[in-house]
Amino acid sequence: MIYREYGKTGKKISAVGFGGMRFERPDDFDRSAEMLVHALNKGINYFDTATFYFKGKSEEIFGHARSELVRTGKNFYYSTKSMAKDRESVRIDVEHSLKRMKVDSIDFLHVWCVLTPEDFAARKAAGVIDEFRKVKEEGLAKHISISTHMSGNEIRDLFEHEEFEGVTLGYCATNFPFREAGLKAAIEKNMGAVIMNPLGGGTIVNNPEAFSFIRMNEEQSMVDAALHFLLSNKGITSALVGFSNKQQIDEAVAAVESFKPYTAAESERLKQSIQDDFQSMCTTCGYCNVCPVNIPVWAFMESFNHVLLDGSFKVAERLKWHWALKINELDRCTGCRQCEEVCTQHLPILQRFELIRQNARGK
Ligand code: SF4
Ligand code: SF4
């Protein structure tokens, strides 16, 4: 395993981190906790969760695993996040996280899911950021970081006047130009830089033909290639992979073990190969599950990914065979744009709905 310094904190964390949002059976605490122990034994020492993953169960799994992890005698770190919008809620979230994860202090506590500069400003005005710092002063958290889905330029601007010890942001071979400036700013400030969604929500791994250009040689699997691309940037501290089972942990660890940094020419060739459309793909993160009329926006956007990938307009077939959905679900859309406001990829969702409708009408 490769370990990298998390900014100025003095902590060294594994180049692949454990994302606690994709447990296969979150109700089975013993089985899920075993995955954390397996990961630590394989060298992964950064475990990331959040207050709402599986409605708090992910943090409880971390709590369930803790005594076994301690028994290994190895160093490990717990990271969690709060999306609280006021001081009191920060306090409530932190108290719940400490209790659920069975720790006295959270190693890395994140201001979670900052979507826009206005969102950050509103939280700051409500005293949320001060409360995070107070939590640290009281010893309830060791480090305060931020997790954000803003664009690269917005992140860069934020870091010009706000101090955090690290940042967690979505960045992968399909969307990196969108966040490049933010990552660069974090690295220049010597912050920890943790990457979420390094496999593009499965898009890269599940579409090997479309993304074959990220492989530098025949031996690389798609997981290897996606992770090697990230690790070639020395400023990236860790790539968080949401694990569902032990096999995925083994694959990610093997990818780190076979890592050889890309040469400058290889990195450049890869960057040149990125087509504009790849920057605007749905990562199936699910943050758009806010629709007041319950339209499963993510399923429509995931289906639209395939239009971008291979040009074939098979949205209706994909909706039908994968999720038993019909295009006329969109008739219920009121155009309120709540989904667009929270989309982590800032996708033009309504515009894509219209293209889907137009294409269906043309058939
Ligand atoms: S714009 Fe349509 S799909 Fe999006 S949240 Fe509003 S009603 Fe739902
Ligand atoms: S549409 Fe946006 S918010 Fe919804 S799942 Fe896709 S990337 Fe995430």
Side-chain angles (χ1 to χ4, degrees):
M1 179 54 66
I2 295 168
Y3 296 91
R4 290 182 171 173
E5 299 275 350
Y6 188 102
K8 301 173 213 156
T9 63
K11 306 267 163 48
K12 277 191 154 189
I13 70 166
S14 48
V16 164
F18 188 114
M21 78 300 274
R22 291 192 201 259
F23 289 108
E24 221 158 44
R25 294 200 214 145
D27 290 324
D28 187 338
F29 278 22
D30 284 346
R31 181 191 159 109
S32 302
E34 252 181 51
M35 284 173 52
L36 275 79
V37 178
H38 181 73
L40 184 60
N41 283 329
K42 289 268 175 175
I44 292 174
N45 71 354
Y46 185 80
F47 296 91
D48 178 82
T49 182
T51 40
F52 291 157
Y53 291 166
F54 299 111
K55 298 188 178 150
K57 272 195 193 141
S58 177
E59 287 191 334
E60 286 183 61
I61 291 166
F62 278 38
H64 196 68
R66 193 174 148 70
S67 59
E68 277 304 308
L69 295 176
V70 170
R71 231 189 298 276
T72 65
K74 298 176 199 285
N75 265 342
F76 64 93
Y77 304 106
Y78 274 0
S79 152
T80 193
K81 318 182 192 82
S82 162
M83 218 187 315
K85 302 283 166 66
D86 57 66
R87 278 178 183 273
E88 295 70 31
S89 305
V90 172
R91 212 27 86 158
I92 291 168
D93 276 356
V94 167
E95 278 165 14
H96 282 159
S97 295
L98 291 168
K99 205 166 154 202
R100 287 196 285 241
M101 298 200 299
K102 297 187 182 156
V103 292
D104 298 328
S105 178
I106 298 160
D107 297 305
F108 295 91
L109 177 63
H110 289 75
V111 178
W112 188 19
C113 195
V114 175
L115 287 167
T116 60
E118 295 74 31
D119 177 13
F120 184 85
R123 293 194 215 188
K124 191 172 163 89
V128 165
I129 310 302
D130 286 346
E131 196 66 15
F132 268 79
R133 306 214 189 286
K134 197 152 171 266
V135 162
K136 181 181 168 184
E137 277 161 28
E138 291 168 20
L140 300 177
K142 297 193 178 71
H143 306 290
I144 304 295
S145 297
I146 182 169
S147 151
T148 178
H149 297 286
M150 290 193 295
S151 71
N153 289 343
E154 288 168 344
I155 297 170
R156 183 199 56 212
D157 293 349
L158 181 76
F159 292 162
E160 271 171 22
H161 47 88
E162 292 290 340
E163 291 271 331
F164 287 99
E165 292 171 271
V167 62
T168 296
L169 76 176
Y171 181 92
C172 67
T174 62
N175 73 357
F176 70 85
F178 181 66
R179 299 234 162 76
E180 188 80 28
L183 177 65
K184 204 160 162 256
I187 295 169
E188 278 166 11
K189 289 194 148 256
N190 197 9
M191 294 165 64
V194 172
I195 301 304
M196 56 182 150
N197 247 327
L199 308 180
T203 309
I204 297 173
V205 176
N206 295 331
N207 295 282
E209 284 182 18
F211 294 107
S212 61
F213 63 86
I214 70 168
R215 293 170 67 216
M216 291 298 154
N217 56 59
E218 293 289 309
E219 284 78 49
Q220 274 183 324
S221 69
M222 292 305 283
V223 173
D224 290 348
L227 292 177
H228 292 178
F229 162 70
L230 296 176
L231 299 183
S232 292
N233 183 337
K234 289 196 187 119
I236 290 177
T237 321
S238 184
L240 278 183
V241 182
F243 294 123
S244 300
N245 52 51
K246 289 183 186 172
Q247 191 194 336
Q248 291 173 354
I249 296 171
D250 295 345
E251 270 171 18
V253 171
V256 177
E257 276 159 11
S258 67
F259 169 64
K260 286 192 202 77
Y262 287 1
T263 63
E266 283 172 332
S267 290
E268 198 42 41
R269 180 179 75 65
L270 196 149
K271 290 190 177 184
Q272 293 291 330
S273 307
I274 299 289
Q275 295 167 30
D276 287 347
D277 282 346
F278 291 160
Q279 296 174 43
S280 52
M281 295 186 67
C282 171
T283 61
T284 64
C285 67
Y287 279 86
C288 52
N289 284 337
V290 294
C291 177
V293 293
N294 294 323
I295 294 174
V297 176
W298 66 271
F300 280 86
M301 291 303 103
E302 197 279 345
S303 302
F304 197 88
N305 277 352
H306 295 267
V307 178
L308 300 174
L309 281 168
D310 59 18
S312 63
F313 227 110
K314 293 184 181 154
V315 174
E317 287 86 337
R318 195 162 174 84
L319 287 170
K320 181 176 168 192
W321 295 116
H322 285 260
W323 303 291
L325 289 168
K326 291 187 177 157
I327 287 178
N328 65 11
E329 287 268 328
L330 296 182
D331 295 347
R332 293 186 288 115
C333 174
T334 61
C336 69
R337 294 193 186 270
Q338 286 185 43
C339 53
E340 283 193 350
E341 281 162 24
V342 296
C343 175
T344 57
Q345 291 285 98
H346 303 259
L347 301 182
I349 293 170
L350 295 196
Q351 199 187 79
R352 289 185 183 181
F353 282 175
E354 189 47 33
L355 288 171
I356 291 169
R357 282 200 199 93
Q358 278 173 10
N359 188 268
R361 279 199 294 267
K363 282 191 174 159

mmCIF file of all heavy atoms in Angstrom, residues 154-191:
data_model
loop_
_atom_site.group_PDB
_atom_site.id
_atom_site.type_symbol
_atom_site.label_atom_id
_atom_site.label_comp_id
_atom_site.label_asym_id
_atom_site.label_seq_id
_atom_site.Cartn_x
_atom_site.Cartn_y
_atom_site.Cartn_z
ATOM 1 N N GLU A 154 -15.004 27.642 -8.549
ATOM 2 C CA GLU A 154 -15.689 28.041 -7.304
ATOM 3 C C GLU A 154 -14.912 27.541 -6.083
ATOM 4 O O GLU A 154 -14.781 28.250 -5.089
ATOM 5 C CB GLU A 154 -17.117 27.479 -7.302
ATOM 6 C CG GLU A 154 -18.042 28.190 -8.282
ATOM 7 C CD GLU A 154 -19.359 27.464 -8.511
ATOM 8 O OE1 GLU A 154 -19.479 26.273 -8.162
ATOM 9 O OE2 GLU A 154 -20.286 28.095 -9.066
ATOM 10 N N ILE A 155 -14.380 26.324 -6.195
ATOM 11 C CA ILE A 155 -13.593 25.774 -5.073
ATOM 12 C C ILE A 155 -12.329 26.629 -4.874
ATOM 13 O O ILE A 155 -11.980 27.004 -3.756
ATOM 14 C CB ILE A 155 -13.220 24.295 -5.341
ATOM 15 C CG1 ILE A 155 -14.489 23.444 -5.425
ATOM 16 C CG2 ILE A 155 -12.289 23.763 -4.260
ATOM 17 C CD1 ILE A 155 -14.257 22.009 -5.918
ATOM 18 N N ARG A 156 -11.666 26.933 -5.983
ATOM 19 C CA ARG A 156 -10.439 27.755 -5.909
ATOM 20 C C ARG A 156 -10.754 29.099 -5.228
ATOM 21 O O ARG A 156 -10.034 29.529 -4.326
ATOM 22 C CB ARG A 156 -9.894 27.988 -7.320
ATOM 23 C CG ARG A 156 -8.589 28.772 -7.372
ATOM 24 C CD ARG A 156 -8.371 29.359 -8.747
ATOM 25 N NE ARG A 156 -9.508 30.180 -9.130
ATOM 26 C CZ ARG A 156 -9.943 30.341 -10.389
ATOM 27 N NH1 ARG A 156 -9.335 29.753 -11.384
ATOM 28 N NH2 ARG A 156 -10.996 31.104 -10.653
ATOM 29 N N ASP A 157 -11.848 29.738 -5.629
ATOM 30 C CA ASP A 157 -12.203 31.035 -5.042
ATOM 31 C C ASP A 157 -12.480 30.899 -3.546
ATOM 32 O O ASP A 157 -12.092 31.755 -2.749
ATOM 33 C CB ASP A 157 -13.443 31.628 -5.740
ATOM 34 C CG ASP A 157 -13.129 31.996 -7.191
ATOM 35 O OD1 ASP A 157 -11.933 31.986 -7.554
ATOM 36 O OD2 ASP A 157 -14.069 32.272 -7.952
ATOM 37 N N LEU A 158 -13.142 29.817 -3.173
ATOM 38 C CA LEU A 158 -13.456 29.612 -1.742
ATOM 39 C C LEU A 158 -12.168 29.500 -0.929
ATOM 40 O O LEU A 158 -12.042 30.092 0.144
ATOM 41 C CB LEU A 158 -14.293 28.333 -1.575
ATOM 42 C CG LEU A 158 -14.707 28.026 -0.135
ATOM 43 C CD1 LEU A 158 -15.848 28.939 0.302
ATOM 44 C CD2 LEU A 158 -15.126 26.577 0.026
ATOM 45 N N PHE A 159 -11.187 28.759 -1.466
ATOM 46 C CA PHE A 159 -9.954 28.535 -0.705
ATOM 47 C C PHE A 159 -9.083 29.789 -0.625
ATOM 48 O O PHE A 159 -8.121 29.822 0.129
ATOM 49 C CB PHE A 159 -9.152 27.364 -1.299
ATOM 50 C CG PHE A 159 -9.826 26.026 -1.117
ATOM 51 C CD1 PHE A 159 -9.454 24.930 -1.887
ATOM 52 C CD2 PHE A 159 -10.834 25.857 -0.179
ATOM 53 C CE1 PHE A 159 -10.087 23.702 -1.719
ATOM 54 C CE2 PHE A 159 -11.470 24.633 -0.004
ATOM 55 C CZ PHE A 159 -11.092 23.563 -0.785
ATOM 56 N N GLU A 160 -9.440 30.808 -1.391
ATOM 57 C CA GLU A 160 -8.680 32.055 -1.283
ATOM 58 C C GLU A 160 -8.935 32.731 0.053
ATOM 59 O O GLU A 160 -8.120 33.473 0.566
ATOM 60 C CB GLU A 160 -9.035 32.999 -2.433
ATOM 61 C CG GLU A 160 -8.126 32.733 -3.620
ATOM 62 C CD GLU A 160 -8.539 33.472 -4.868
ATOM 63 O OE1 GLU A 160 -9.249 34.491 -4.759
ATOM 64 O OE2 GLU A 160 -8.151 33.006 -5.958
ATOM 65 N N HIS A 161 -10.124 32.474 0.644
ATOM 66 C CA HIS A 161 -10.386 33.142 1.925
ATOM 67 C C HIS A 161 -10.927 32.221 3.015
ATOM 68 O O HIS A 161 -11.339 32.678 4.070
ATOM 69 C CB HIS A 161 -11.322 34.352 1.718
ATOM 70 C CG HIS A 161 -12.514 34.052 0.874
ATOM 71 N ND1 HIS A 161 -13.658 33.580 1.415
ATOM 72 C CD2 HIS A 161 -12.701 34.132 -0.462
ATOM 73 C CE1 HIS A 161 -14.526 33.388 0.427
ATOM 74 N NE2 HIS A 161 -13.975 33.706 -0.709
ATOM 75 N N GLU A 162 -10.961 30.918 2.774
ATOM 76 C CA GLU A 162 -11.427 29.998 3.811
ATOM 77 C C GLU A 162 -10.376 28.911 4.030
ATOM 78 O O GLU A 162 -9.868 28.357 3.074
ATOM 79 C CB GLU A 162 -12.751 29.329 3.406
ATOM 80 C CG GLU A 162 -13.929 30.259 3.344
ATOM 81 C CD GLU A 162 -14.385 30.755 4.715
ATOM 82 O OE1 GLU A 162 -14.058 30.118 5.740
ATOM 83 O OE2 GLU A 162 -15.048 31.802 4.748
ATOM 84 N N GLU A 163 -10.081 28.631 5.302
ATOM 85 C CA GLU A 163 -9.058 27.623 5.633
ATOM 86 C C GLU A 163 -9.699 26.290 5.996
ATOM 87 O O GLU A 163 -10.554 26.243 6.883
ATOM 88 C CB GLU A 163 -8.273 28.095 6.869
ATOM 89 C CG GLU A 163 -7.390 29.282 6.636
ATOM 90 C CD GLU A 163 -5.999 28.877 6.172
ATOM 91 O OE1 GLU A 163 -5.544 27.781 6.543
ATOM 92 O OE2 GLU A 163 -5.395 29.666 5.425
ATOM 93 N N PHE A 164 -9.301 25.252 5.312
ATOM 94 C CA PHE A 164 -9.673 23.898 5.710
ATOM 95 C C PHE A 164 -8.420 23.041 5.642
ATOM 96 O O PHE A 164 -7.488 23.346 4.896
ATOM 97 C CB PHE A 164 -10.755 23.321 4.780
ATOM 98 C CG PHE A 164 -12.106 23.936 5.000
ATOM 99 C CD1 PHE A 164 -12.565 24.943 4.160
ATOM 100 C CD2 PHE A 164 -12.903 23.525 6.054
ATOM 101 C CE1 PHE A 164 -13.802 25.532 4.368
ATOM 102 C CE2 PHE A 164 -14.148 24.102 6.270
ATOM 103 C CZ PHE A 164 -14.599 25.105 5.428
ATOM 104 N N GLU A 165 -8.425 21.944 6.416
ATOM 105 C CA GLU A 165 -7.228 21.098 6.402
ATOM 106 C C GLU A 165 -7.223 20.126 5.207
ATOM 107 O O GLU A 165 -6.185 19.602 4.843
ATOM 108 C CB GLU A 165 -7.130 20.331 7.725
ATOM 109 C CG GLU A 165 -6.848 21.288 8.877
ATOM 110 C CD GLU A 165 -6.948 20.610 10.221
ATOM 111 O OE1 GLU A 165 -8.058 20.587 10.791
ATOM 112 O OE2 GLU A 165 -5.932 20.085 10.689
ATOM 113 N N GLY A 166 -8.396 19.912 4.662
ATOM 114 C CA GLY A 166 -8.465 19.024 3.503
ATOM 115 C C GLY A 166 -9.767 19.217 2.758
ATOM 116 O O GLY A 166 -10.684 19.897 3.233
ATOM 117 N N VAL A 167 -9.810 18.615 1.578
ATOM 118 C CA VAL A 167 -11.030 18.683 0.764
ATOM 119 C C VAL A 167 -11.307 17.298 0.204
ATOM 120 O O VAL A 167 -10.387 16.548 -0.117
ATOM 121 C CB VAL A 167 -10.890 19.724 -0.377
ATOM 122 C CG1 VAL A 167 -9.775 19.369 -1.347
ATOM 123 C CG2 VAL A 167 -12.196 19.893 -1.144
ATOM 124 N N THR A 168 -12.595 16.968 0.127
ATOM 125 C CA THR A 168 -13.015 15.745 -0.555
ATOM 126 C C THR A 168 -13.853 16.192 -1.741
ATOM 127 O O THR A 168 -14.811 16.958 -1.573
ATOM 128 C CB THR A 168 -13.820 14.846 0.409
ATOM 129 O OG1 THR A 168 -12.954 14.447 1.472
ATOM 130 C CG2 THR A 168 -14.328 13.594 -0.286
ATOM 131 N N LEU A 169 -13.458 15.769 -2.924
ATOM 132 C CA LEU A 169 -14.176 16.243 -4.113
ATOM 133 C C LEU A 169 -14.225 15.160 -5.182
ATOM 134 O O LEU A 169 -13.390 14.271 -5.217
ATOM 135 C CB LEU A 169 -13.563 17.531 -4.662
ATOM 136 C CG LEU A 169 -12.270 17.525 -5.449
ATOM 137 C CD1 LEU A 169 -11.959 18.922 -5.952
ATOM 138 C CD2 LEU A 169 -11.107 17.053 -4.629
ATOM 139 N N GLY A 170 -15.255 15.237 -6.025
ATOM 140 C CA GLY A 170 -15.410 14.268 -7.113
ATOM 141 C C GLY A 170 -14.473 14.635 -8.254
ATOM 142 O O GLY A 170 -14.439 15.785 -8.697
ATOM 143 N N TYR A 171 -13.705 13.663 -8.707
ATOM 144 C CA TYR A 171 -12.713 13.941 -9.744
ATOM 145 C C TYR A 171 -12.333 12.586 -10.325
ATOM 146 O O TYR A 171 -11.984 11.665 -9.579
ATOM 147 C CB TYR A 171 -11.511 14.596 -9.074
ATOM 148 C CG TYR A 171 -10.350 14.991 -9.966
ATOM 149 C CD1 TYR A 171 -10.274 16.268 -10.508
ATOM 150 C CD2 TYR A 171 -9.305 14.098 -10.212
ATOM 151 C CE1 TYR A 171 -9.197 16.642 -11.290
ATOM 152 C CE2 TYR A 171 -8.222 14.470 -10.985
ATOM 153 C CZ TYR A 171 -8.167 15.751 -11.520
ATOM 154 O OH TYR A 171 -7.087 16.128 -12.282
ATOM 155 N N CYS A 172 -12.454 12.436 -11.614
ATOM 156 C CA CYS A 172 -12.061 11.148 -12.198
ATOM 157 C C CYS A 172 -11.700 11.367 -13.665
ATOM 158 O O CYS A 172 -11.768 12.495 -14.175
ATOM 159 C CB CYS A 172 -13.177 10.108 -12.052
ATOM 160 S SG CYS A 172 -14.639 10.485 -13.003
ATOM 161 N N ALA A 173 -11.348 10.282 -14.326
ATOM 162 C CA ALA A 173 -10.884 10.389 -15.706
ATOM 163 C C ALA A 173 -11.955 10.953 -16.638
ATOM 164 O O ALA A 173 -11.656 11.388 -17.736
ATOM 165 C CB ALA A 173 -10.414 9.022 -16.202
ATOM 166 N N THR A 174 -13.229 10.959 -16.209
ATOM 167 C CA THR A 174 -14.274 11.474 -17.111
ATOM 168 C C THR A 174 -14.636 12.930 -16.859
ATOM 169 O O THR A 174 -15.230 13.566 -17.707
ATOM 170 C CB THR A 174 -15.574 10.648 -16.990
ATOM 171 O OG1 THR A 174 -16.048 10.776 -15.656
ATOM 172 C CG2 THR A 174 -15.340 9.205 -17.339
ATOM 173 N N ASN A 175 -14.351 13.432 -15.650
ATOM 174 C CA ASN A 175 -14.830 14.799 -15.380
ATOM 175 C C ASN A 175 -13.746 15.725 -14.848
ATOM 176 O O ASN A 175 -14.037 16.804 -14.362
ATOM 177 C CB ASN A 175 -16.009 14.771 -14.387
ATOM 178 C CG ASN A 175 -15.578 14.460 -12.975
ATOM 179 O OD1 ASN A 175 -14.401 14.206 -12.720
ATOM 180 N ND2 ASN A 175 -16.496 14.482 -12.043
ATOM 181 N N PHE A 176 -12.477 15.301 -14.931
ATOM 182 C CA PHE A 176 -11.459 16.082 -14.217
ATOM 183 C C PHE A 176 -11.334 17.536 -14.661
ATOM 184 O O PHE A 176 -11.043 18.390 -13.822
ATOM 185 C CB PHE A 176 -10.091 15.375 -14.221
ATOM 186 C CG PHE A 176 -9.414 15.336 -15.537
ATOM 187 C CD1 PHE A 176 -8.644 16.408 -15.945
ATOM 188 C CD2 PHE A 176 -9.550 14.246 -16.367
ATOM 189 C CE1 PHE A 176 -8.022 16.380 -17.175
ATOM 190 C CE2 PHE A 176 -8.926 14.217 -17.601
ATOM 191 C CZ PHE A 176 -8.164 15.286 -18.011
ATOM 192 N N PRO A 177 -11.565 17.888 -15.935
ATOM 193 C CA PRO A 177 -11.386 19.312 -16.256
ATOM 194 C C PRO A 177 -12.337 20.210 -15.458
ATOM 195 O O PRO A 177 -12.025 21.351 -15.159
ATOM 196 C CB PRO A 177 -11.708 19.369 -17.752
ATOM 197 C CG PRO A 177 -11.480 17.984 -18.248
ATOM 198 C CD PRO A 177 -11.928 17.100 -17.117
ATOM 199 N N PHE A 178 -13.522 19.638 -15.086
ATOM 200 C CA PHE A 178 -14.529 20.417 -14.366
ATOM 201 C C PHE A 178 -14.048 20.843 -12.969
ATOM 202 O O PHE A 178 -14.449 21.884 -12.459
ATOM 203 C CB PHE A 178 -15.812 19.574 -14.267
ATOM 204 C CG PHE A 178 -16.945 20.246 -13.564
ATOM 205 C CD1 PHE A 178 -17.541 21.370 -14.108
ATOM 206 C CD2 PHE A 178 -17.421 19.746 -12.364
ATOM 207 C CE1 PHE A 178 -18.592 21.994 -13.456
ATOM 208 C CE2 PHE A 178 -18.476 20.362 -11.712
ATOM 209 C CZ PHE A 178 -19.064 21.490 -12.263
ATOM 210 N N ARG A 179 -13.187 20.037 -12.335
ATOM 211 C CA ARG A 179 -12.756 20.346 -10.963
ATOM 212 C C ARG A 179 -11.261 20.620 -10.837
ATOM 213 O O ARG A 179 -10.747 20.843 -9.741
ATOM 214 C CB ARG A 179 -13.139 19.188 -10.020
ATOM 215 C CG ARG A 179 -14.626 18.933 -9.960
ATOM 216 C CD ARG A 179 -15.188 18.946 -8.551
ATOM 217 N NE ARG A 179 -16.626 19.109 -8.587
ATOM 218 C CZ ARG A 179 -17.489 18.139 -8.902
ATOM 219 N NH1 ARG A 179 -17.050 16.939 -9.174
ATOM 220 N NH2 ARG A 179 -18.780 18.392 -8.917
ATOM 221 N N GLU A 180 -10.557 20.595 -11.981
ATOM 222 C CA GLU A 180 -9.099 20.722 -11.966
ATOM 223 C C GLU A 180 -8.608 21.930 -11.146
ATOM 224 O O GLU A 180 -7.703 21.810 -10.326
ATOM 225 C CB GLU A 180 -8.609 20.830 -13.421
ATOM 226 C CG GLU A 180 -7.121 20.787 -13.610
ATOM 227 C CD GLU A 180 -6.581 19.359 -13.567
ATOM 228 O OE1 GLU A 180 -7.314 18.415 -13.915
ATOM 229 O OE2 GLU A 180 -5.423 19.202 -13.169
ATOM 230 N N ALA A 181 -9.221 23.095 -11.362
ATOM 231 C CA ALA A 181 -8.736 24.315 -10.697
ATOM 232 C C ALA A 181 -8.869 24.197 -9.178
ATOM 233 O O ALA A 181 -8.010 24.686 -8.428
ATOM 234 C CB ALA A 181 -9.518 25.532 -11.202
ATOM 235 N N GLY A 182 -9.914 23.544 -8.707
ATOM 236 C CA GLY A 182 -10.127 23.380 -7.270
ATOM 237 C C GLY A 182 -9.107 22.444 -6.664
ATOM 238 O O GLY A 182 -8.562 22.707 -5.586
ATOM 239 N N LEU A 183 -8.833 21.356 -7.372
ATOM 240 C CA LEU A 183 -7.837 20.405 -6.874
ATOM 241 C C LEU A 183 -6.470 21.070 -6.813
ATOM 242 O O LEU A 183 -5.745 20.952 -5.819
ATOM 243 C CB LEU A 183 -7.799 19.167 -7.785
ATOM 244 C CG LEU A 183 -6.758 18.120 -7.417
ATOM 245 C CD1 LEU A 183 -7.055 17.496 -6.049
ATOM 246 C CD2 LEU A 183 -6.688 17.020 -8.470
ATOM 247 N N LYS A 184 -6.156 21.813 -7.861
ATOM 248 C CA LYS A 184 -4.856 22.489 -7.931
ATOM 249 C C LYS A 184 -4.706 23.475 -6.757
ATOM 250 O O LYS A 184 -3.673 23.522 -6.089
ATOM 251 C CB LYS A 184 -4.769 23.243 -9.259
ATOM 252 C CG LYS A 184 -3.381 23.493 -9.730
ATOM 253 C CD LYS A 184 -3.364 23.777 -11.235
ATOM 254 C CE LYS A 184 -2.070 24.433 -11.598
ATOM 255 N NZ LYS A 184 -2.170 25.858 -11.849
ATOM 256 N N ALA A 185 -5.771 24.223 -6.488
ATOM 257 C CA ALA A 185 -5.720 25.204 -5.386
ATOM 258 C C ALA A 185 -5.500 24.491 -4.059
ATOM 259 O O ALA A 185 -4.717 24.956 -3.214
ATOM 260 C CB ALA A 185 -7.023 26.008 -5.353
ATOM 261 N N ALA A 186 -6.166 23.357 -3.856
ATOM 262 C CA ALA A 186 -6.016 22.606 -2.596
ATOM 263 C C ALA A 186 -4.574 22.116 -2.456
ATOM 264 O O ALA A 186 -3.976 22.213 -1.375
ATOM 265 C CB ALA A 186 -6.983 21.421 -2.581
ATOM 266 N N ILE A 187 -4.010 21.621 -3.552
ATOM 267 C CA ILE A 187 -2.640 21.099 -3.498
ATOM 268 C C ILE A 187 -1.660 22.242 -3.203
ATOM 269 O O ILE A 187 -0.745 22.109 -2.387
ATOM 270 C CB ILE A 187 -2.300 20.368 -4.823
ATOM 271 C CG1 ILE A 187 -3.187 19.118 -4.966
ATOM 272 C CG2 ILE A 187 -0.823 20.002 -4.877
ATOM 273 C CD1 ILE A 187 -3.145 18.456 -6.329
ATOM 274 N N GLU A 188 -1.881 23.390 -3.851
ATOM 275 C CA GLU A 188 -0.989 24.537 -3.613
ATOM 276 C C GLU A 188 -1.030 24.981 -2.159
ATOM 277 O O GLU A 188 -0.062 25.474 -1.612
ATOM 278 C CB GLU A 188 -1.390 25.695 -4.526
ATOM 279 C CG GLU A 188 -0.805 25.530 -5.930
ATOM 280 C CD GLU A 188 -1.441 26.473 -6.951
ATOM 281 O OE1 GLU A 188 -2.177 27.406 -6.564
ATOM 282 O OE2 GLU A 188 -1.197 26.238 -8.139
ATOM 283 N N LYS A 189 -2.182 24.799 -1.523
ATOM 284 C CA LYS A 189 -2.306 25.201 -0.106
ATOM 285 C C LYS A 189 -1.890 24.089 0.842
ATOM 286 O O LYS A 189 -2.092 24.189 2.056
ATOM 287 C CB LYS A 189 -3.757 25.598 0.182
ATOM 288 C CG LYS A 189 -4.145 26.898 -0.473
ATOM 289 C CD LYS A 189 -5.433 27.436 0.100
ATOM 290 C CE LYS A 189 -5.411 28.940 0.078
ATOM 291 N NZ LYS A 189 -5.182 29.573 1.336
ATOM 292 N N ASN A 190 -1.354 23.011 0.269
ATOM 293 C CA ASN A 190 -0.924 21.857 1.063
ATOM 294 C C ASN A 190 -2.049 21.303 1.934
ATOM 295 O O ASN A 190 -1.874 21.027 3.111
ATOM 296 C CB ASN A 190 0.304 22.220 1.920
ATOM 297 C CG ASN A 190 1.013 20.972 2.420
ATOM 298 O OD1 ASN A 190 0.686 19.862 2.000
ATOM 299 N ND2 ASN A 190 1.948 21.147 3.334
ATOM 300 N N MET A 191 -3.212 21.168 1.311
ATOM 301 C CA MET A 191 -4.340 20.541 1.995
ATOM 302 C C MET A 191 -4.372 19.057 1.615
ATOM 303 O O MET A 191 -3.877 18.675 0.560
ATOM 304 C CB MET A 191 -5.667 21.171 1.517
ATOM 305 C CG MET A 191 -5.829 22.625 1.894
ATOM 306 S SD MET A 191 -7.167 23.422 0.939
ATOM 307 C CE MET A 191 -8.616 22.530 1.462
#
